PDB file of all heavy atoms in Angstrom:
ATOM      1  N   PHE A 252      11.787 -31.252  -5.946  1.00 69.00           N
ATOM      2  CA  PHE A 252      12.460 -30.255  -6.929  1.00 69.00           C
ATOM      3  C   PHE A 252      12.444 -30.836  -8.289  1.00 69.00           C
ATOM      4  O   PHE A 252      12.204 -30.012  -9.236  1.00 69.00           O
ATOM      5  CB  PHE A 252      13.910 -30.086  -6.401  1.00 69.00           C
ATOM      6  CG  PHE A 252      14.606 -28.967  -7.128  1.00 69.00           C
ATOM      7  CD1 PHE A 252      14.314 -27.618  -6.974  1.00 69.00           C
ATOM      8  CD2 PHE A 252      15.604 -29.287  -8.089  1.00 69.00           C
ATOM      9  CE1 PHE A 252      14.943 -26.631  -7.633  1.00 69.00           C
ATOM     10  CE2 PHE A 252      16.276 -28.287  -8.772  1.00 69.00           C
ATOM     11  CZ  PHE A 252      15.956 -26.942  -8.536  1.00 69.00           C
ATOM     12  N   ILE A 255       9.273 -30.012 -10.418  1.00 93.00           N
ATOM     13  CA  ILE A 255       8.982 -28.612 -10.798  1.00 93.00           C
ATOM     14  C   ILE A 255       9.469 -28.395 -12.252  1.00 93.00           C
ATOM     15  O   ILE A 255      10.635 -28.783 -12.528  1.00 93.00           O
ATOM     16  CB  ILE A 255       9.692 -27.672  -9.802  1.00 93.00           C
ATOM     17  CG1 ILE A 255       9.130 -27.845  -8.404  1.00 93.00           C
ATOM     18  CG2 ILE A 255       9.456 -26.192 -10.274  1.00 93.00           C
ATOM     19  CD1 ILE A 255       9.905 -27.058  -7.362  1.00 93.00           C
ATOM     20  N   PRO A 256       8.683 -27.824 -13.089  1.00 93.00           N
ATOM     21  CA  PRO A 256       9.181 -27.581 -14.473  1.00 93.00           C
ATOM     22  C   PRO A 256      10.447 -26.709 -14.432  1.00 93.00           C
ATOM     23  O   PRO A 256      10.599 -25.849 -13.597  1.00 93.00           O
ATOM     24  CB  PRO A 256       8.011 -26.782 -15.085  1.00 93.00           C
ATOM     25  CG  PRO A 256       6.782 -27.180 -14.345  1.00 93.00           C
ATOM     26  CD  PRO A 256       7.252 -27.429 -12.943  1.00 93.00           C
ATOM     27  N   GLU A 257      11.335 -27.038 -15.341  1.00 93.00           N
ATOM     28  CA  GLU A 257      12.630 -26.438 -15.339  1.00 93.00           C
ATOM     29  C   GLU A 257      12.612 -24.909 -15.299  1.00 93.00           C
ATOM     30  O   GLU A 257      13.374 -24.220 -14.549  1.00 93.00           O
ATOM     31  CB  GLU A 257      13.438 -26.863 -16.569  1.00 93.00           C
ATOM     32  CG  GLU A 257      14.946 -26.733 -16.508  1.00 93.00           C
ATOM     33  CD  GLU A 257      15.636 -27.552 -15.481  1.00 93.00           C
ATOM     34  OE1 GLU A 257      15.083 -28.640 -15.116  1.00 93.00           O
ATOM     35  OE2 GLU A 257      16.709 -27.151 -14.943  1.00 93.00           O
ATOM     36  N   GLU A 258      11.749 -24.315 -16.077  1.00 94.00           N
ATOM     37  CA  GLU A 258      11.694 -22.883 -16.174  1.00 94.00           C
ATOM     38  C   GLU A 258      11.164 -22.139 -14.922  1.00 94.00           C
ATOM     39  O   GLU A 258      11.300 -20.959 -14.771  1.00 94.00           O
ATOM     40  CB  GLU A 258      10.856 -22.399 -17.353  1.00 94.00           C
ATOM     41  CG  GLU A 258       9.389 -22.788 -17.315  1.00 94.00           C
ATOM     42  CD  GLU A 258       9.094 -24.105 -18.002  1.00 94.00           C
ATOM     43  OE1 GLU A 258       9.905 -25.040 -17.875  1.00 94.00           O
ATOM     44  OE2 GLU A 258       7.991 -24.232 -18.622  1.00 94.00           O
ATOM     45  N   TYR A 259      10.598 -22.979 -13.991  1.00 95.00           N
ATOM     46  CA  TYR A 259      10.048 -22.339 -12.757  1.00 95.00           C
ATOM     47  C   TYR A 259      10.795 -22.704 -11.510  1.00 95.00           C
ATOM     48  O   TYR A 259      10.391 -22.333 -10.382  1.00 95.00           O
ATOM     49  CB  TYR A 259       8.596 -22.761 -12.594  1.00 95.00           C
ATOM     50  CG  TYR A 259       7.696 -22.374 -13.814  1.00 95.00           C
ATOM     51  CD1 TYR A 259       6.893 -23.350 -14.452  1.00 95.00           C
ATOM     52  CD2 TYR A 259       7.758 -21.154 -14.409  1.00 95.00           C
ATOM     53  CE1 TYR A 259       6.129 -23.037 -15.546  1.00 95.00           C
ATOM     54  CE2 TYR A 259       7.007 -20.784 -15.524  1.00 95.00           C
ATOM     55  CZ  TYR A 259       6.236 -21.771 -16.087  1.00 95.00           C
ATOM     56  OH  TYR A 259       5.490 -21.430 -17.164  1.00 95.00           O
ATOM     57  N   LYS A 260      11.897 -23.446 -11.702  1.00 93.00           N
ATOM     58  CA  LYS A 260      12.673 -23.820 -10.538  1.00 93.00           C
ATOM     59  C   LYS A 260      13.426 -22.668  -9.941  1.00 93.00           C
ATOM     60  O   LYS A 260      13.890 -21.737 -10.697  1.00 93.00           O
ATOM     61  CB  LYS A 260      13.734 -24.940 -10.865  1.00 93.00           C
ATOM     62  CG  LYS A 260      13.080 -26.275 -11.136  1.00 93.00           C
ATOM     63  CD  LYS A 260      14.158 -27.326 -11.494  1.00 93.00           C
ATOM     64  CE  LYS A 260      13.506 -28.693 -11.683  1.00 93.00           C
ATOM     65  NZ  LYS A 260      14.546 -29.685 -12.091  1.00 93.00           N
ATOM     66  N   ILE A 261      13.631 -22.628  -8.624  1.00 92.00           N
ATOM     67  CA  ILE A 261      14.443 -21.666  -7.962  1.00 92.00           C
ATOM     68  C   ILE A 261      15.873 -22.183  -7.897  1.00 92.00           C
ATOM     69  O   ILE A 261      16.144 -23.011  -7.060  1.00 92.00           O
ATOM     70  CB  ILE A 261      13.904 -21.256  -6.531  1.00 92.00           C
ATOM     71  CG1 ILE A 261      12.515 -20.701  -6.672  1.00 92.00           C
ATOM     72  CG2 ILE A 261      14.842 -20.353  -5.857  1.00 92.00           C
ATOM     73  CD1 ILE A 261      12.411 -19.400  -7.341  1.00 92.00           C
ATOM     74  N   LYS A 262      16.702 -21.802  -8.851  1.00 90.00           N
ATOM     75  CA  LYS A 262      18.029 -22.344  -8.872  1.00 90.00           C
ATOM     76  C   LYS A 262      19.086 -21.466  -8.173  1.00 90.00           C
ATOM     77  O   LYS A 262      20.105 -21.946  -7.687  1.00 90.00           O
ATOM     78  CB  LYS A 262      18.442 -22.502 -10.320  1.00 90.00           C
ATOM     79  CG  LYS A 262      17.538 -23.512 -11.136  1.00 90.00           C
ATOM     80  CD  LYS A 262      17.878 -23.537 -12.598  1.00 90.00           C
ATOM     81  CE  LYS A 262      16.898 -24.446 -13.318  1.00 90.00           C
ATOM     82  NZ  LYS A 262      17.167 -24.446 -14.810  1.00 90.00           N
ATOM     83  N   ASN A 354       9.619 -12.712 -17.710  1.00 97.00           N
ATOM     84  CA  ASN A 354       9.736 -14.132 -17.219  1.00 97.00           C
ATOM     85  C   ASN A 354      10.165 -14.182 -15.720  1.00 97.00           C
ATOM     86  O   ASN A 354       9.614 -14.920 -14.923  1.00 97.00           O
ATOM     87  CB  ASN A 354      10.708 -14.924 -18.092  1.00 97.00           C
ATOM     88  CG  ASN A 354      10.160 -15.181 -19.462  1.00 97.00           C
ATOM     89  OD1 ASN A 354       8.974 -15.100 -19.754  1.00 97.00           O
ATOM     90  ND2 ASN A 354      11.080 -15.564 -20.380  1.00 97.00           N
ATOM     91  N   VAL A 357       7.128 -12.888 -13.493  1.00 98.00           N
ATOM     92  CA  VAL A 357       5.998 -13.907 -13.453  1.00 98.00           C
ATOM     93  C   VAL A 357       6.411 -15.021 -12.553  1.00 98.00           C
ATOM     94  O   VAL A 357       5.604 -15.493 -11.749  1.00 98.00           O
ATOM     95  CB  VAL A 357       5.664 -14.350 -14.895  1.00 98.00           C
ATOM     96  CG1 VAL A 357       4.842 -15.607 -14.904  1.00 98.00           C
ATOM     97  CG2 VAL A 357       4.977 -13.241 -15.699  1.00 98.00           C
ATOM     98  N   LYS A 358       7.639 -15.507 -12.696  1.00 98.00           N
ATOM     99  CA  LYS A 358       8.063 -16.636 -11.882  1.00 98.00           C
ATOM    100  C   LYS A 358       8.039 -16.233 -10.408  1.00 98.00           C
ATOM    101  O   LYS A 358       7.590 -17.017  -9.499  1.00 98.00           O
ATOM    102  CB  LYS A 358       9.508 -17.008 -12.266  1.00 98.00           C
ATOM    103  CG  LYS A 358      10.175 -18.117 -11.469  1.00 98.00           C
ATOM    104  CD  LYS A 358      11.559 -18.379 -12.050  1.00 98.00           C
ATOM    105  CE  LYS A 358      12.386 -19.273 -11.197  1.00 98.00           C
ATOM    106  NZ  LYS A 358      13.719 -19.520 -11.753  1.00 98.00           N
ATOM    107  N   LEU A 359       8.473 -15.006 -10.055  1.00 98.00           N
ATOM    108  CA  LEU A 359       8.487 -14.568  -8.655  1.00 98.00           C
ATOM    109  C   LEU A 359       7.061 -14.339  -8.126  1.00 98.00           C
ATOM    110  O   LEU A 359       6.754 -14.587  -6.970  1.00 98.00           O
ATOM    111  CB  LEU A 359       9.322 -13.289  -8.513  1.00 98.00           C
ATOM    112  CG  LEU A 359      10.881 -13.564  -8.594  1.00 98.00           C
ATOM    113  CD1 LEU A 359      11.603 -12.272  -8.736  1.00 98.00           C
ATOM    114  CD2 LEU A 359      11.280 -14.331  -7.293  1.00 98.00           C
ATOM    115  N   MET A 361       4.554 -16.168  -8.863  1.00 98.00           N
ATOM    116  CA  MET A 361       4.058 -17.549  -8.484  1.00 98.00           C
ATOM    117  C   MET A 361       4.662 -17.986  -7.126  1.00 98.00           C
ATOM    118  O   MET A 361       3.930 -18.413  -6.288  1.00 98.00           O
ATOM    119  CB  MET A 361       4.370 -18.515  -9.610  1.00 98.00           C
ATOM    120  CG  MET A 361       3.587 -18.346 -10.877  1.00 98.00           C
ATOM    121  SD  MET A 361       3.746 -19.669 -12.039  1.00 98.00           S
ATOM    122  CE  MET A 361       5.403 -19.442 -12.581  1.00 98.00           C
ATOM    123  N   TRP A 362       5.965 -17.816  -7.017  1.00 98.00           N
ATOM    124  CA  TRP A 362       6.625 -18.324  -5.796  1.00 98.00           C
ATOM    125  C   TRP A 362       6.333 -17.405  -4.549  1.00 98.00           C
ATOM    126  O   TRP A 362       6.108 -17.913  -3.444  1.00 98.00           O
ATOM    127  CB  TRP A 362       8.152 -18.357  -6.059  1.00 98.00           C
ATOM    128  CG  TRP A 362       8.545 -19.644  -6.726  1.00 98.00           C
ATOM    129  CD1 TRP A 362       8.825 -19.735  -8.132  1.00 98.00           C
ATOM    130  CD2 TRP A 362       8.751 -20.920  -6.198  1.00 98.00           C
ATOM    131  NE1 TRP A 362       9.146 -21.033  -8.376  1.00 98.00           N
ATOM    132  CE2 TRP A 362       9.117 -21.758  -7.231  1.00 98.00           C
ATOM    133  CE3 TRP A 362       8.664 -21.460  -4.910  1.00 98.00           C
ATOM    134  CZ2 TRP A 362       9.418 -23.148  -7.011  1.00 98.00           C
ATOM    135  CZ3 TRP A 362       8.932 -22.782  -4.644  1.00 98.00           C
ATOM    136  CH2 TRP A 362       9.311 -23.653  -5.757  1.00 98.00           C
ATOM    137  N   LEU A 368      -0.148 -19.374 -12.757  1.00 98.00           N
ATOM    138  CA  LEU A 368       0.585 -18.936 -13.939  1.00 98.00           C
ATOM    139  C   LEU A 368      -0.235 -17.944 -14.843  1.00 98.00           C
ATOM    140  O   LEU A 368       0.307 -16.887 -15.136  1.00 98.00           O
ATOM    141  CB  LEU A 368       1.163 -20.099 -14.701  1.00 98.00           C
ATOM    142  CG  LEU A 368       1.906 -19.776 -16.029  1.00 98.00           C
ATOM    143  CD1 LEU A 368       3.060 -18.893 -15.738  1.00 98.00           C
ATOM    144  CD2 LEU A 368       2.370 -21.060 -16.712  1.00 98.00           C
ATOM    145  N   GLU A 372       0.828 -14.015 -15.311  1.00 98.00           N
ATOM    146  CA  GLU A 372       1.110 -13.458 -16.663  1.00 98.00           C
ATOM    147  C   GLU A 372       0.190 -12.282 -16.926  1.00 98.00           C
ATOM    148  O   GLU A 372       0.590 -11.226 -17.475  1.00 98.00           O
ATOM    149  CB  GLU A 372       0.989 -14.554 -17.722  1.00 98.00           C
ATOM    150  CG  GLU A 372       2.102 -15.603 -17.658  1.00 98.00           C
ATOM    151  CD  GLU A 372       1.832 -16.706 -18.617  1.00 98.00           C
ATOM    152  OE1 GLU A 372       0.647 -17.013 -18.931  1.00 98.00           O
ATOM    153  OE2 GLU A 372       2.810 -17.367 -19.099  1.00 98.00           O
ATOM    154  N   PRO A 588       1.277 -23.185  -8.503  1.00 97.00           N
ATOM    155  CA  PRO A 588       0.735 -22.202  -9.424  1.00 97.00           C
ATOM    156  C   PRO A 588       1.058 -22.495 -10.891  1.00 97.00           C
ATOM    157  O   PRO A 588       0.281 -22.037 -11.777  1.00 97.00           O
ATOM    158  CB  PRO A 588       1.565 -20.947  -9.023  1.00 97.00           C
ATOM    159  CG  PRO A 588       1.921 -21.087  -7.583  1.00 97.00           C
ATOM    160  CD  PRO A 588       2.121 -22.613  -7.455  1.00 97.00           C
ATOM    161  N   TRP A 589       2.116 -23.239 -11.202  1.00 97.00           N
ATOM    162  CA  TRP A 589       2.461 -23.536 -12.606  1.00 97.00           C
ATOM    163  C   TRP A 589       1.715 -24.724 -13.205  1.00 97.00           C
ATOM    164  O   TRP A 589       1.827 -25.022 -14.415  1.00 97.00           O
ATOM    165  CB  TRP A 589       3.966 -23.756 -12.688  1.00 97.00           C
ATOM    166  CG  TRP A 589       4.462 -24.752 -11.666  1.00 97.00           C
ATOM    167  CD1 TRP A 589       4.389 -26.099 -11.730  1.00 97.00           C
ATOM    168  CD2 TRP A 589       5.072 -24.357 -10.474  1.00 97.00           C
ATOM    169  NE1 TRP A 589       4.970 -26.599 -10.537  1.00 97.00           N
ATOM    170  CE2 TRP A 589       5.387 -25.531  -9.745  1.00 97.00           C
ATOM    171  CE3 TRP A 589       5.435 -23.182  -9.858  1.00 97.00           C
ATOM    172  CZ2 TRP A 589       6.008 -25.603  -8.471  1.00 97.00           C
ATOM    173  CZ3 TRP A 589       6.083 -23.152  -8.586  1.00 97.00           C
ATOM    174  CH2 TRP A 589       6.345 -24.387  -7.950  1.00 97.00           C
ATOM    175  N   GLU A 590       0.932 -25.438 -12.335  1.00 96.00           N
ATOM    176  CA  GLU A 590       0.201 -26.643 -12.853  1.00 96.00           C
ATOM    177  C   GLU A 590      -1.025 -26.227 -13.684  1.00 96.00           C
ATOM    178  O   GLU A 590      -1.714 -25.298 -13.358  1.00 96.00           O
ATOM    179  CB  GLU A 590      -0.214 -27.486 -11.640  1.00 96.00           C
ATOM    180  CG  GLU A 590       0.964 -28.107 -10.925  1.00 96.00           C
ATOM    181  CD  GLU A 590       0.461 -28.924  -9.739  1.00 96.00           C
ATOM    182  OE1 GLU A 590      -0.594 -29.480  -9.768  1.00 96.00           O
ATOM    183  OE2 GLU A 590       1.219 -28.936  -8.696  1.00 96.00           O
TER     184      GLU A 590
END
Side-chain angles (χ1 to χ4, degrees):
F252 187 73
I255 300 171
E257 197 66 27
E258 63 268 36
Y259 305 129
K260 287 179 179 177
I261 298 296
K262 297 174 183 176
N354 291 342
V357 166
K358 178 178 171 181
L359 286 167
M361 290 191 289
W362 278 98
L368 176 58
E372 291 173 331
W589 47 80
E590 293 177 32

